[in-house]
Amino acid sequence: MTIRMNPARIERDRIGDLFLEYGPDAPTLCAGWRTRDLAAHLVVRDRRPDAAAGILISRLAAYGDRIRTRTASGDWSTLVDTVRRGPPRFSPLRLPLLDRLANTVEFFVHVEDVRRAQPNYEPRILEPAVRQQLLWMMKRGARLLTRSAPCGLIVHPTGELAITAKKGNPAVTISGDIAEIVLFLYGRGDHAHVDLTGPEDLVAAVRATTFGV
């Protein structure tokens, strides 16, 4: 796969375009974050692994927030350009394979965090490379994403075989376009267009569950 068709690069370029289109103060689906905060998060994730660790390690969260806030205070066009450039030259994440694995879903979800927070939001057609990578990730990562499910969980992307994400009986089935399922399982359930089927009480419990890595 060439850089041009690297799904992570496709989504990185797309969010750069959105940042310029909407500016630094547009809303996002990330609670409390405007587009400036989201752009700073992406720069820190790319370039400051010491600060990015605060996303997963609670005792480092305050430090990470300080670095992100400082990054967000910089010039907007420079911040967007830094998002577009990606990791520094010698980062392993500049390798297309690692970039694809580590960044496709991250940037896809954040693209939708910007798009779906806007009043003029409309669904989009994903590039085949992006769709294929989302499906690949779901087949291999559904168990991790759904570990907090209160019951058995089956994921059924449109046009694909169903995936048993969490064993259990009875189970709830989440069905819909792969893009919508990914958003649902990354904590954007209020903005993801999926169908949930199964016992009514379990469907309600799944909708109330916080999913994600």
Side-chain angles (χ1 to χ4, degrees):
M1 181 177 291
T2 65
I3 292 292
R4 188 175 180 183
M5 290 302 295
N6 183 339
R9 172 51 60 181
I10 291 171
E11 294 299 279
R12 184 184 288 274
D13 288 342
R14 189 176 299 278
I15 204 167
D17 292 343
L18 290 173
F19 284 153
L20 292 180
E21 178 181 356
Y22 291 116
D25 297 311
T28 76
L29 298 186
C30 302
W33 282 7
R34 313 298 281 186
T35 40
R36 178 181 293 278
D37 303 298
L38 179 53
H41 159 74
L42 294 172
V43 169
V44 168
R45 184 177 179 273
D46 278 339
R47 294 173 173 267
R48 290 293 303 268
D50 58 322
I55 299 170
L56 298 175
I57 303 173
S58 58
R59 63 188 177 85
L60 296 179
Y63 171 69
D65 286 343
R66 288 197 300 273
I67 299 299
R68 180 181 53 78
T69 300
R70 185 188 309 161
T71 303
S73 67
D75 174 74
W76 175 240
S77 61
T78 301
L79 190 60
V80 174
D81 185 60
T82 307
V83 172
R84 287 189 187 276
R85 290 202 312 269
R89 181 177 179 183
F90 296 108
S91 170
L93 290 178
R94 292 193 71 88
L95 296 172
L97 176 59
L98 293 182
D99 184 28
R100 189 163 70 244
L101 294 176
N103 289 326
T104 302
V105 175
E106 175 80 9
F107 277 86
F108 162 75
V109 169
H110 287 320
V111 163
E112 295 304 314
D113 283 336
V114 176
R115 294 182 71 255
R116 298 187 187 214
Q118 312 311 316
N120 60 345
Y121 156 73
E122 293 183 2
R124 64 174 169 134
I125 298 175
L126 296 180
E127 287 82 354
V130 176
R131 178 174 297 280
Q132 290 166 11
Q133 187 65 28
L134 295 183
L135 184 60
W136 184 93
M137 182 283 302
M138 186 57 60
K139 289 177 178 178
R140 289 156 180 80
R143 183 175 298 179
L144 174 63
L145 290 170
T146 62
R147 63 194 184 282
S148 60
C151 60
L153 206 59
I154 297 169
V155 174
H156 193 184
T158 302
E160 303 288 341
L161 296 176
I163 302 164
T164 300
K166 184 172 183 178
K167 293 180 180 180
N169 189 21
V172 168
T173 298
I174 304 172
S175 57
D177 186 84
I178 183 59
E180 304 299 328
I181 292 174
V182 168
L183 290 171
F184 184 87
L185 294 181
Y186 270 79
R188 278 68 173 179
D190 290 343
H191 300 272
H193 307 294
V194 296
D195 292 319
L196 272 62
T197 55
E200 187 174 337
D201 58 330
L202 294 183
V203 167
V206 168
R207 285 201 177 276
T209 299
T210 300
F211 292 103
V213 176

